[in-house]
Amino acid sequence: MKLGIVGLPNVGKSTLFNAMTGGGAQAANYPFCTIEPNVGVVPVPDARLAALAEMYDPEKITPAVIEFVDIAGLVKGASQGEGLGNKFLSHIREVDAIVHVVRCFVDEDIVHVDKGIDPVRDADVINMELILSDIEILDRRMDRAQKRLKGDKSAQTEIDLIERLLDRLNNGKSPRGLEFSEAEEALLAEMPLLSLKKQIFAANVSEDDIRCGDSLAEQNPHFAALLRYAEESGDEIVPICAKIESELAELPPEDRALFLEDLGIEHAGLDRLVTAGYRLLGLISYLTAGKPEVRAWTITRGTAAPQAAGKIHSDFERGFIRAEVVSFEDLTRLGSMAAVREKGLLRSEGKDYVMQDGDVVLFRFNV
């Protein structure tokens, strides 16, 4: 999973990126301090791995990973090249989903590119640049499709799709809520549309605000406004404090839980962002466990057992025989694979089995 971190300059993008990845992205109090995208690969937090490690005492523990890309700040007019915008928009095309960082805190010492805190205005600026860039792409495709129509009647499907997309985009609305046929989905795969990318709003709030928990919207009117905006567009929203995430990143792992507890915070921002990202992209993890290694593997929800096996090695998929599966809950409740077998809870699943989140599996194959 590859998530692109976007937002206006000076909203906390690079600070958040560095906290999550331990990267060396430049974070400074002026616009465009990030030019080339910074990339960091981080482990996906999964408490199930620690539980399995206690059972198997493996030589190696390998979590699933997520890739974060810190993309330079966009400004109004980016789709027309403002602020080196075209270059930065091209970086967004390469990610699976967008983490849109929006500033919801007041700090006179940190300049705002538009002079004042207004998260809805800021979110609109970014979203409108994505929309304008897509309109330009679709206008060009429409010209080509209409020329093809004279000798290729199948081009009408593309024309109808483009008209439907442009109807939304020209009214300043994202097309993410639209439903598409199989033929339209195939056409969309050829169109690098930015406004169709799924989006998580990372509302960057102050240290005091993040401690408010469920009452955050009552305490911070900027967050409340962004929350309404996200709900209207059907996007995820995750409150996060980049400052706290930076402090967390400097602590040894064993001290982080205590630090969060002292602040009255249940989960770190990274954990909540990853959970939202998995949910947004329809991802789950299955697990493999043994003395050599305990490992999490990321797959799309609905993946069948042979294709899941192929994530480990193509030979596993090609020579798939069966999957021996137990749920993580049953395995940890009973304490050992021997006890699982004794209770008859180890299942032998065939090619049609659809993998479930938390399946602990051993694939049998022959090539």
Side-chain angles (χ1 to χ4, degrees), residues 259-325:
F259 178 75
L260 289 172
E261 187 180 331
D262 288 344
L263 291 173
I265 300 170
E266 190 173 353
H267 297 292
L270 172 60
D271 294 10
R272 288 181 280 113
L273 268 182
V274 169
T275 299
Y278 265 56
R279 186 167 55 244
L280 195 67
L281 294 173
L283 301 176
I284 60 172
S285 293
Y286 74 84
L287 310 163
T288 54
K291 182 62 179 174
E293 184 181 38
V294 165
R295 183 164 182 167
W297 303 84
T298 300
I299 55 174
T300 303
R301 188 177 296 279
T303 298
Q307 287 69 53
K311 294 287 286 186
I312 299 175
H313 197 285
S314 58
D315 284 351
F316 283 33
E317 181 175 359
R318 186 160 53 91
F320 180 88
I321 299 173
R322 68 182 184 275
E324 295 177 0
V325 183

Side-chain angles (χ1 to χ4, degrees), residues 115 124 128 146 220 259 269 276 301 338:
K115 315 296 184 209
D124 266 335
M128 188 53 64
Q146 286 174 335
N220 185 327
F259 178 75
R301 188 177 296 279

